[in-house]
Amino acid sequence: MTRIRTHLLLAVCLLAAVAARPAAQQPASGQPIRADQPSVTFRVEINYVEVDAAVFDRQGRFVNDLTRDDFQVLEEGVPQDVSAFSLVNIPIERAERPLFARNPIEPDVATNATPFEGRVYVLVLDDLQTAPLRTPLVRRAARQFIDQAMAANDVAAVVYTSGRGEAGQEFTSSKRLLAASVDRFMGRKLRSTTLERLDQYQRQQSIPGGPNSGQGSRIGDPLDQQRGFDARASLDALRNISEYVGGIHGRRKAVVYLSEGIDYDIYDFNNRESTTIQDGFRGVIASATRANVSIYAIDPRGLTALADESIEASGGFPNDPQSNLSTQSFQDELRLSHMSLRTLAEDTGGYAAINSNDFSKAWERIVADNSSYYVLGYYPKNEKRDGRFRRIEVKVRREGVEVRTRKGYTAPRGKAPAQASQ
């Protein structure tokens, strides 16, 4: 994953200024920040926790007049002292289109004279978990996000889970460059586990008197090792991305994860990589929650019953209950892939768009979640570095409001690093 790490490290360095001047930020006193005031800085400590909270009234409108005293943050039921508080309210800017042009004209001059005031997106195209025949679905969904969800003041990067650095795109506001990167996408997912096991069963039955020719023998996946490697690579990419964009403080970071879901049954412990991949899931969630990164999982298949795979199984299934091979096997694959997407999204405070051919609501949710919210920072009273998941609850002292925030974070493990001198 060296290419992914290098690619994102450069991008994060370019966006480091975002940490110093969050868009539309207001200090706890409620007074606007003056131009002659020093930039806001954050003490970088390993035990600092940052959580964002979006608050809506009964009509679904964002509540923008809350103060620090209106919030209460509890970690495992214990009230915490909020040491950093800000309101982020990012405008949605539209690119100007001249009357003679079909599309807005991109500016040919870049400047850092004004602070960055936009949303930060990372589009993760999971080529390792997308079937080659469904490549156009991912391209279409990603292009829709770029065209419909991204405003002129936003930046996004495109990353491939396979590590194709030459196909990706560093952070940019250019929709043209982002679309060009998306058009280079090509799915590389392995053939269905059910189809591979069915072929394996038929091969075994074709050997008269062979050790596995009778009924009742377990049929394993002949591609288990490679399938496990690809699953680990996808999860490693998500973890690395979360760690690097975590360097941007004072605002929410959104990972738009376009994937068919992790193609591995982690609940079958006969599969050699099940435990390792379970650890991979925990690693992604731990990194994302520590870095205040939300994963928005988008299944580009939309409404599907894995019809393409079912057609390939036209030869039928064996009348052998012990083989665990039937038409239900395809549904089990689909259920497990959806479960993986929901887990990654819900446990990081994001959203999963599954079983839908219309992604417009998903794009609206992503934009809304990342446009207006409060950022609350605190140093946990529990300083143990035990690697445990700690539940966070954000309450607002106002009736009739809804608070959207992540469920918690995973505490660091091991000895704390030495503090650098200030």
Side-chain angles (χ1 to χ4, degrees):
M1 309 310 290
T2 303
R3 291 177 179 174
I4 289 179
R5 286 195 286 266
T6 303
H7 176 77
L8 282 171
L9 181 59
L10 292 172
V12 169
C13 289
L14 292 174
L15 284 175
V18 174
R21 297 189 65 177
Q25 180 171 331
Q26 301 290 328
S29 63
Q31 298 298 320
I33 296 179
R34 302 197 315 271
D36 59 344
Q37 286 182 320
S39 298
V40 179
T41 58
F42 291 86
R43 242 189 329 152
V44 180
E45 295 187 14
I46 197 66
N47 64 335
Y48 176 76
V49 176
E50 194 173 77
V51 59
D52 56 72
V55 184
F56 300 90
D57 62 18
R58 289 191 176 95
Q59 287 72 42
R61 296 170 301 195
F62 179 73
V63 180
N64 63 0
D65 60 346
L66 299 174
T67 66
R68 184 203 305 254
D69 295 336
D70 291 318
F71 285 90
Q72 183 183 30
V73 178
L74 297 95
E75 183 179 296
E76 294 296 336
V78 178
Q80 305 294 310
D81 298 325
V82 177
S83 56
F85 173 83
S86 63
L87 165 63
V88 176
N89 198 357
I90 304 174
I92 297 177
E93 299 180 2
R94 300 300 180 189
E96 295 184 3
R97 180 178 66 84
L99 294 176
F100 60 84
R102 178 176 299 178
N103 298 311
I105 297 177
E106 292 182 13
D108 56 2
V109 177
T111 178
N112 59 358
T114 58
F116 170 74
E117 294 185 355
R119 283 149 289 270
V120 179
Y121 299 120
V122 180
L123 276 70
V124 179
L125 307 185
D126 196 353
D127 47 345
L128 295 177
Q129 308 297 326
T130 301
L133 289 176
R134 291 191 280 268
T135 292
L137 299 180
V138 174
R139 292 180 180 176
R140 186 183 310 133
R143 273 182 161 269
Q144 282 180 0
F145 176 83
I146 294 169
D147 293 337
Q148 299 176 17
M150 282 193 63
N153 53 323
D154 297 340
V155 295
V158 178
V159 177
Y160 286 68
T161 56
S162 62
R164 291 181 57 200
E166 79 287 352
Q169 173 60 50
E170 294 183 2
F171 280 105
T172 179
S173 59
S174 169
K175 293 187 177 183
R176 176 182 56 84
L177 294 177
L178 293 169
S181 176
V182 167
D183 288 344
R184 292 190 284 268
F185 176 84
M186 180 64 68
R188 301 174 53 182
K189 181 180 177 181
L190 296 175
R191 191 164 173 256
S192 162
T193 303
T194 297
L195 293 176
E196 290 294 337
R197 293 178 59 239
L198 183 59
D199 287 353
Q200 179 76 350
Y201 177 86
Q202 293 170 348
R203 284 192 294 267
Q204 292 179 0
Q205 296 304 306
S206 67
I207 304 175
N212 298 312
S213 60
Q215 291 191 350
S217 58
R218 180 183 181 275
I219 309 300
D221 177 11
L223 299 181
D224 178 81
Q225 185 172 359
Q226 182 62 46
R227 204 178 304 276
F229 178 86
D230 289 348
R232 294 198 312 271
S234 292
L235 294 171
D236 285 347
L238 287 173
R239 189 189 69 249
N240 290 335
I241 290 165
S242 297
E243 290 175 354
Y244 283 110
V245 298
I248 305 172
H249 291 280
R251 66 172 59 224
R252 171 179 269 210
K253 287 80 66 177
V255 169
V256 182
Y257 178 47
L258 288 100
S259 172
E260 296 180 8
I262 301 301
D263 180 30
Y264 202 88
D265 186 355
I266 60 175
Y267 302 102
D268 185 350
F269 289 97
N270 289 311
N271 296 332
R272 69 183 71 183
E273 300 291 340
S274 59
T275 301
T276 303
I277 296 172
Q278 285 186 18
D279 291 340
F281 272 101
R282 286 190 284 267
V284 172
I285 294 168
S287 296
T289 54
R290 279 199 298 266
N292 202 26
V293 171
S294 297
I295 297 176
Y296 295 87
I298 311 296
D299 186 350
R301 295 173 294 186
L303 286 169
T304 180
L306 295 180
D308 295 336
E309 287 82 352
S310 301
I311 292 173
E312 288 192 57
S314 56
F317 291 89
N319 185 22
D320 181 1
Q322 297 298 321
S323 68
N324 195 27
L325 281 169
S326 66
T327 55
Q328 181 60 38
S329 301
F330 290 119
Q331 296 304 312
D332 291 341
E333 284 188 51
L334 185 62
R335 175 180 53 83
L336 289 170
S337 67
H338 283 173
M339 188 181 301
S340 69
L341 294 175
R342 288 193 181 96
T343 297
L344 292 169
E346 294 174 1
D347 287 355
T348 60
Y351 171 78
I354 294 171
N355 279 330
S356 174
N357 293 326
D358 182 7
F359 298 121
S360 57
K361 290 185 178 179
W363 308 150
E364 291 173 2
R365 169 72 181 267
I366 294 172
V367 173
D369 283 358
N370 291 274
S371 295
S372 300
Y373 50 90
Y374 295 89
V375 179
L376 310 168
Y378 68 94
Y379 295 93
K381 294 181 178 180
N382 180 2
E383 298 182 354
K384 293 181 180 179
R385 301 175 58 84
D386 52 14
R388 294 181 178 273
F389 184 82
R390 297 179 183 172
R391 182 174 52 86
I392 293 177
E393 185 179 6
V394 178
K395 295 183 178 181
V396 176
R397 297 182 177 92
R398 184 175 295 188
E399 297 293 331
V401 298
E402 175 194 2
V403 182
R404 292 182 193 169
T405 188
R406 57 190 170 100
K407 297 178 180 179
Y409 73 100
T410 301
R413 186 186 297 274
K415 185 178 180 181
Q419 293 290 324
S421 59
Q422 298 286 329

